[in-house]
Structures are given as C-alpha cells and as structure tokens.
Amino acid sequence: MPDPKSSNPAPGAVLCTVDAVLLTLQQGALQVLLARRERAPFAGTWALPGGFIHPWEDADAQASALRVLQEKAGVRPPYLEQLATFSGPARDPRGWSLAVVYCALVPAERLQGMGEGVCLAPVDGLPPLPFDHGDIVRQAVGRVRGKSQYSSLPVHLCGEQFTLPQLQAVYEAVLGEPLNKVSFRRKMDELGMLEPVPGALQGGAHRPAQVYRLRPAFRCSLSLSARGL
C-alpha cells in the first residue's frame, strides 16, 4: 500500500490529485478558502486544499474531495460539483500531474473557528498561489457567476433560513451587480426552489419579511431556468 503521507511519487508515475475551490461570502464579497502547504513543493505557501487520491479509501474522486476538505478545513460542504480536470507536465515540479478539481459553496457560518492552517482570501485580490491554482480559482469563479444567472446555485451560500432580501443580496454579491427587486422575485418563483418557513417572519412590525428555506429536492441539485436574471 502506498504511503498516504508521501509527497514523492515513484519515478515516471502520474500524480493524481484532487483540489477544491471552496467559496463563501464574507462582508459581502466572494472569498476562497486557502490552506497552508505543509510539505514540498512550495511548503509554507497558501494554496487550494488538495491531496492525492487514496484508491484504497476513496470510492471516487468526489469522495476524495470531501475527505480533503474535511481533513484540511474541517468542513463538509452542502454543495459540491466537479469543475474540470487540469493536467500536464508543467503543473507540478514533481512531474506529470492530473488534478480533478471540485467547486464547493459553503455558508460563512459553517467556517467559524477555522484553524491557523487555513484562511479566506477575496477572489478579486488573491495572493500569489503555487501550481496553476490562480487559474483554477478564476475558472471556478467564472463558472459560479455564470451559473448564478440561471440557477439556484447562490442559495448554497445562505444559512438554513433567510428572507428574500437576504437572498437577493447574496445573488448580487456573487454576480457583482445590483438586481431589480421585482425581476429577482419573479425569477425565484420561476425556479421554485424555496418554501416558506411556517410562522417565521423577520423584521419590524410594520412589514415583516417572510423567512424561507431551500426545498429538500434542491439541497443536492440545482433548480435551473431557461433564461437568466
């Protein structure tokens, strides 16, 4: 059995890893989780959480990504999707490598109390990252912003319960632009992903806002629309 802690693959072997782009919202801005690398190459630098696939342990690449996020960040994301596969001889100084990359969306409240080995960085102001991780983050952000135009994707950045104004603020933060209130609410009705929480209202006595939650059918899959916001 290979050593799971080894960072030196056999000569001529293809390095097979998973990397995770974990996105969240903090102070109204899209942030990505970075983990400090413990071993060479690039020991001590901030990078995307990732690691070798464990064929004796992981059922598939998604299981690898979930394991890596649990080990590196102590979190199991409510939503995870495969982004792309990145490969080639120039990605990693150790040799020809292939990385299956996943994108995760996590509410900020689930990342409270992170350890010293991880941090959040704004996606529009990343520090220098090793390997091709800067390009991976940019591709992930482009995917999320594009899909947010016509899907329920941003709702996975919310907590368990939220009002429509709070959800609209999340969409606006992801897309980077204001949205028309009437058009946004019409789109949410069209997506059909929300259900009201019975008896739950938020705000003042004059016009309290209804509190909503995600329907169970859309907790692991997206609701899609034929047209964008």
Side-chain angles (χ1 to χ4, degrees):
M1 178 183 295
D3 180 0
K5 295 186 178 180
S6 174
S7 59
N8 297 309
V14 173
L15 286 74
C16 193
T17 65
V18 292
D19 291 316
V21 183
L22 188 155
L23 299 173
T24 191
L25 282 178
Q26 192 173 73
Q27 298 178 341
L30 204 56
Q31 310 263 332
V32 63
L33 185 139
L34 303 176
R36 193 179 297 279
R37 288 185 57 80
E38 297 178 352
R39 294 184 292 274
F42 309 113
T45 64
W46 293 108
L48 293 174
F52 289 110
I53 290 173
H54 293 177
W56 61 92
E57 177 183 1
D58 302 329
D60 51 30
Q62 180 166 310
S64 296
L66 290 170
R67 174 181 52 78
V68 163
L69 283 171
Q70 185 65 50
E71 293 174 352
K72 300 289 181 71
V75 64
R76 184 177 179 89
Y79 183 81
L80 183 74
E81 72 171 51
Q82 190 175 130
L83 174 67
T85 298
F86 295 79
S87 61
R91 299 185 64 250
D92 192 310
R94 292 170 293 184
W96 209 102
S97 68
L98 179 151
V100 184
V101 179
Y102 284 81
C103 184
L105 271 64
V106 178
E109 62 195 42
R110 294 201 184 187
L111 300 175
Q112 299 298 321
M114 293 189 306
E116 294 182 358
V118 293
C119 73
L120 294 176
V123 299
D124 294 324
L126 290 173
L129 299 179
F131 308 108
D132 51 0
H133 288 187
D135 291 336
I136 291 174
V137 172
R138 284 186 283 273
Q139 185 164 325
V141 171
R143 163 80 67 84
V144 168
R145 285 176 171 160
K147 291 185 78 168
S148 296
Q149 290 279 353
Y150 61 88
S151 80
S152 60
L153 187 59
V155 76
H156 295 287
L157 294 169
C158 296
E160 290 293 324
Q161 299 182 2
F162 45 85
T163 65
L164 282 178
Q166 289 168 342
L167 180 58
Q168 181 172 340
V170 168
Y171 268 82
E172 290 175 338
V174 172
L175 295 171
E177 61 184 15
L179 299 171
N180 178 271
K181 177 180 176 180
V182 174
S183 297
F184 176 78
R185 296 194 174 207
R186 186 182 302 121
K187 176 59 66 176
M188 294 305 102
D189 288 340
E190 182 180 317
L191 288 170
M193 62 182 181
L194 305 179
E195 62 181 12
V197 179
L201 300 174
Q202 190 177 108
H206 178 54
R207 293 189 66 183
Q210 173 66 53
V211 175
Y212 292 87
R213 62 192 172 202
L214 190 62
R215 293 182 186 275
F218 299 112
R219 289 175 185 168
C220 297
S221 61
L222 297 182
S223 175
L224 304 175
S225 172
R227 57 185 181 84
L229 284 164

